[in-house]
Amino acid sequence: MRNSSLASIERIKAAANAAQTGKPINLVPYLLVAPTLILVSLFTIYPAVGSVVSSLYRPPRNVRDPSTFVGLENYFDLFDPTHYIGSTFLQVISNTIIFALATVVVSVPLALGFALLLNRRIKRIGVYRFSLFYPALLPMIGAASIWAFLFADPLGLVNTILRTFGSRGQNWIGDPNIALFTVTTVNIWKQAGFYTIFYLAGLQNIPRDLYEAAELDGAGECQKLLYLTIPLLRRTTLFILIVSFTFGFQTVEHLQALGQGGPGDRSNLLLYFIFQSIGERRNWGYINAMTVVLVLVLMVFTVTNFLYFERRRDDETS
Amino acid sequence: MRMLRLLTVIMLLFSVAPTITAQETITVDFYFPTATATITNPEAGESIEAVFNRYAAAFEAANPGVQINVVYTGSYTDTRNTIQTEIAGGGAGPDVAVMLTTDLFSFIEEGTILPVQDFIDTMPDGEAYVADFFPAFLLNSLDEEGVIWSIPYQRSTPVLYYNVEQFAEAGFDAPPRNRQELAEMAQALTLPDGQRWGVWLPTEGFPIWLFSAFVIADGQHFVEESPSEVYFNTPQTREALDYIISLSRDYGVMPGGTLSWGDGPSIFTSGKASMLFHTTGSLTRILNEAPFEVGVAFLPSGTAGEDGTGYGAPTGGGNLYLFANSTPEEQAAAWAWIQFLSSPEIQSDWGAATGYVAARRSAWELDPLASLVARRPQYAVARDQLAFAQKEFSAYRTIDIQGIINSTLSGIISGATTDIEGALTTAQAQIDSLLAEYR
């Protein structure tokens, strides 16, 4: 580690000397980085900066006129509950937090459970693994269309089954008290299998002799799970928590097939609401402001986790 | 090195391409959307794009030197976003496009479209041309001063579909005429435990459209001539809300919550609902799919009119727009293309091919539409209801105001919002604040 960093310092010094003495700089490394740098600047950095800038402007009535600088007014409007954007935005933010938290709280333990079940030597384990993992492979909008058919009232499978039990069924997509539950359920179904894979990998990294030692000490299944498996999976769990929470903010395609955020925005989510607001050109300031808010939330979350992660790793290695 | 050669080839291609296409001919860029969810044409087996290509070929044959560049641009929303983005980014945009009739004031405001009135005025028979359109379909083309900006093309209106067999079983031989009759007949048609509902009135997603039929029939539409005035918090709105809520809460003839628009036709054709409020755009599909006789009727009447039995419906769909970025030559060719698409012959063909309501009276006397109506008289109901129809909701900031109204209506109808008075007041205040700069 130390050697390689010393070597790279030497190389930088050499390059600096070369620059001073007028020798040609080796262009190869720059050329190698250039494609990525160009792509990232063009498609990530430039739009990101553009978003922040245009979140401070209000588009003109006539497309040929310049935009008006309004400072942070767009942001104030977003958090103003009487404003037409703000009243929906606040509802949507709270939906999004519920959606993300519920997805994490349900799908992560579910994934652990699946992984424990699948981490055994059973016949045709591949079939079971595949059937739990395949929701993660389906494109979300396709999966959501299937679910929309299952949940449809009164034609869908769910209500048809419920009717055989004498129940009238539920208006899964149109009932304001159920709609958010419905879209969250679909997301959990979609994500749980995906996280199972990480847990499965984590489980298979745990050395078997630890369990053998525990068994010699007389530990039961429950104790092995609580005192061995779960603590040893801590890193995996942390990783999954980050990924699943971030996905909670990013996964919205299913809303298109499942009620489009209705009724009355009761099941609407932030990213989908941003997409819906594109309709009126004069909202572009708000759209960019909402995007900046979304990115900030995700960044705060990711950076704190990253720092936490890195610190722990340092603790462990030192 | 090979990369560099490839790059050179690509760059060369790009620099040569314009010189290949730039000839003496005038190219009219024509953008069109589809609302495939409602418009289907299994009989003809021809895609919408194929229909337009057929029209373009016929037009080009009759107009040498003009080429129609037919571009499919996705949904109505995609089409609007595409055009706005192109023009705002300094691009040329289309010369002609089919866009929602309700996009009018957004595009007037942005200064990107031309009034077709200027071209109509140069026609020798301009007045007769305009007079041949159903007046209800022209309402969405007009600005405050009565200037015509767009030409009706693919238009629709909601109607009431009913299951004639189920009606006969319940002892009814005619559709309901007013809301009271509808509620009572629906009650007789409803079977317990959700096996069959008396009526399906979709309120999901875009309730403003069907809902406006109620306020129109009660004599106060959400909009009048001025695009900067919206009448949402009115007694008519409260009355219609009460009625729709009572259908599920008091009469028990509809499920609670908001009801799916897209599933509506399937629910009706599978016999799970005896009546359906839906667009004429679904007529072809419903007639083809239903294993029973389908009746089509006017929407139930309200209190409007001198005798207090006013029918009412909004119109919907897309119009032909002309764009300001085009050169005078392109504009002339584009106007000729619009005249061609709005000709009685094409309107008759298009109406029969898609199920849209042909926008010109004379189109109904021509085949294939005339023979279709003779075979299936249900197609004529929407046309006759046009006498009572009003414009589709359209104002400055249409999309935002539609959003406010849709969210408020579906919130109240679904039961998410219990303070109806407060919700209507808030919505009206938000609408007024949006429109303040236009007054």
Side-chain angles (χ1 to χ4, degrees), chain B residues 199-216:
Chain B
V199 61
W200 193 268
L201 171 56
T203 41
E204 178 197 89
F206 200 75
I208 182 173
W209 197 55
L210 285 179
F211 194 91
S212 61
F214 287 84
V215 289
I216 292 168

Side-chain angles (χ1 to χ4, degrees), chain A residues 23-86:
Chain A
K23 276 185 202 163
I25 306 168
N26 188 0
L27 280 174
V28 173
Y30 297 95
L31 280 174
L32 289 175
V33 179
T36 315
L37 197 66
I38 291 170
L39 285 178
V40 168
S41 337
L42 214 59
F43 295 108
T44 307
I45 298 172
Y46 172 70
V49 173
S51 257
V52 175
V53 171
S54 42
S55 73
L56 306 175
Y57 284 86
R58 181 175 161 77
R61 289 180 62 170
N62 188 307
V63 281
R64 287 168 194 83
D65 296 337
S67 297
T68 324
F69 181 79
V70 291
L72 292 175
E73 206 177 284
N74 289 333
Y75 292 90
F76 294 142
D77 286 347
L78 286 186
F79 291 96
D80 174 1
T82 61
H83 191 270
Y84 78 99
I85 285 268

Side-chain angles (χ1 to χ4, degrees), chain A residues 58 60-64 81-85 87-88 148 152-155 163 166-168 171 173-176 259-260 262-266 276-284 286, chain B residues 80-81 84-85 87-88 106 109-112 193-195 197 200 204 255-259 263 266-267 270 272 325 396-400 404 407 410-411 414-416 430 434 437-438:
Chain A
R58 181 175 161 77
R61 289 180 62 170
N62 188 307
V63 281
R64 287 168 194 83
T82 61
H83 191 270
Y84 78 99
I85 285 268
S87 55
T88 314
D153 177 37
L155 296 177
R163 267 201 304 277
S167 161
R168 118 101 188 96
N171 187 352
I173 296 164
D175 187 324
Q260 300 175 13
D265 291 302
R266 280 302 190 93
Q276 283 180 321
S277 306
I278 292 171
E280 198 89 70
R281 196 182 55 88
R282 301 201 67 207
N283 283 343
W284 287 358
Y286 293 126
Chain B
R80 177 179 58 229
N81 290 343
Q84 283 183 333
T85 312
I87 297 178
S106 304
E109 179 183 5
E110 291 172 13
T112 51
D193 298 330
Q195 293 171 59
W197 296 104
W200 193 268
E204 178 197 89
T258 54
L259 305 188
D263 290 343
S266 310
I267 291 166
S270 65
K272 290 275 181 208
N325 269 351
Y396 285 117
R397 305 303 291 270
T398 290
I399 308 163
D400 280 334
I404 294 169
S407 183
S410 66
S414 69
Q430 289 175 345
L434 272 176
E437 64 172 315
Y438 300 89

Side-chain angles (χ1 to χ4, degrees), chain B residues 55-131:
Chain B
Y55 294 164
F59 178 79
E60 284 164 1
N63 297 271
V66 180
Q67 201 189 343
I68 306 294
N69 181 24
V70 176
V71 184
Y72 170 57
T73 41
S75 68
Y76 277 120
T77 309
D78 296 337
T79 302
R80 177 179 58 229
N81 290 343
T82 302
I83 294 173
Q84 283 183 333
T85 312
E86 272 188 34
I87 297 178
D95 301 302
V96 179
V98 176
M99 300 194 296
L100 284 175
T101 64
T102 54
D103 286 334
L104 179 68
F105 292 107
S106 304
F107 281 83
I108 289 182
E109 179 183 5
E110 291 172 13
T112 51
I113 56 170
L114 292 174
V116 295
Q117 183 78 56
D118 297 349
F119 295 86
I120 294 172
D121 291 344
T122 64
M123 290 169 76
D125 56 346
E127 275 180 33
Y129 173 72
V130 172

